[in-house]
Amino acid sequence: MPISSDGASTHSVPKGAVSPDAAVPTGTVRVWDPAIRILHWTIAASSAIAWLSAEEIMPVHEAAGFVILVAVGVRSLWGLVGTPHARFAEFVPGPRGLLSYMGALVKGRAGRYVGHNPAGGAMIVALLASLLLTVATGIVLDTGGGVLGEDAMEDIHGAAATVTLILVALHIGGVVLSSRLHRENLVRAMVTGRKRA
């Protein structure tokens, strides 16, 4: 492990990350623009409504699915043309970057990112894809099941919804873990748009 001139250990920190040993700055910066925050909470609320209304109140379930479809579409577009921290190019990791981050996270040495960390970036892509598959299969199911038939499409739709729920649970767990590791409230940051500098 490299040692600095004052005898403290140094760590290789990826671009965009802050070393876990870094001093805690006192100021905050705006990270999440209003569009990101509104889309995040719209997708979260609509997903909960869709899950709770499944097979019970179909008009509400279908309306929630439509809101999710629109929100995922807008979020995907904003990932291409939005503010810097919203863009996929800024936070979607390659396999090596993701594995490196996960290894450091397991050891409690993951660097802090002002925007999304590599695990969070990968999770966003996985959640958007899973939500899109869930909604798409729901639409096909609503029109009779397509070439696969209603029973098969219902199974696929249910499996996609279950995968989405598992990803949501992992996402929440990651937010809690990262919040504790770096001593900052990431849920509040997604409400206010601000994080520590």
Side-chain angles (χ1 to χ4, degrees):
M1 179 179 302
I3 304 294
S4 66
S5 58
D6 64 358
S9 64
T10 61
H11 304 280
S12 175
V13 179
K15 181 181 178 187
V18 178
S19 169
D21 296 329
V24 177
T26 55
T28 64
V29 292
R30 181 162 306 277
V31 177
W32 310 125
D33 63 68
I36 286 296
R37 300 191 325 264
I38 291 168
L39 289 166
H40 177 275
W41 295 114
T42 298
I43 290 170
S46 300
S47 297
I49 291 168
W51 182 266
L52 294 171
S53 62
E55 300 177 16
E56 300 295 329
I57 313 170
M58 287 312 293
V60 172
H61 183 74
E62 291 169 359
F66 178 74
V67 171
I68 292 168
L69 179 63
V70 171
V72 167
V74 173
R75 176 61 185 95
S76 299
L77 179 62
W78 200 239
L80 300 174
V81 301
T83 55
H85 289 297
R87 293 183 189 170
F88 297 128
E90 137 96 19
F91 64 78
V92 176
R96 180 179 293 173
L98 177 59
L99 290 174
S100 174
Y101 178 83
M102 294 304 291
L105 185 62
V106 167
K107 297 172 186 172
R109 305 296 304 162
R112 177 184 171 268
Y113 287 71
V114 175
H116 291 296
N117 63 48
M123 181 56 74
I124 287 171
V125 173
L127 277 167
L128 291 176
S130 180
L131 285 164
L132 188 58
L133 177 62
T134 304
V135 172
T137 55
I139 291 169
V140 174
L141 183 59
D142 194 44
T143 60
V147 296
L148 295 178
E150 191 170 342
D151 289 343
M153 192 55 63
E154 190 168 351
D155 289 343
I156 296 168
H157 180 66
T162 300
V163 167
T164 300
L165 189 63
I166 291 167
L167 290 173
V168 167
L170 290 171
H171 173 57
I172 292 170
V175 167
V176 170
L177 179 61
S178 194
S179 292
R180 289 176 60 91
L181 181 62
H182 301 299
R183 298 181 302 280
E184 71 180 329
N185 188 331
L186 295 180
V187 175
R188 184 175 60 205
M190 190 52 75
V191 172
T192 66
R194 303 192 73 86
K195 291 178 72 175
R196 269 195 343 255

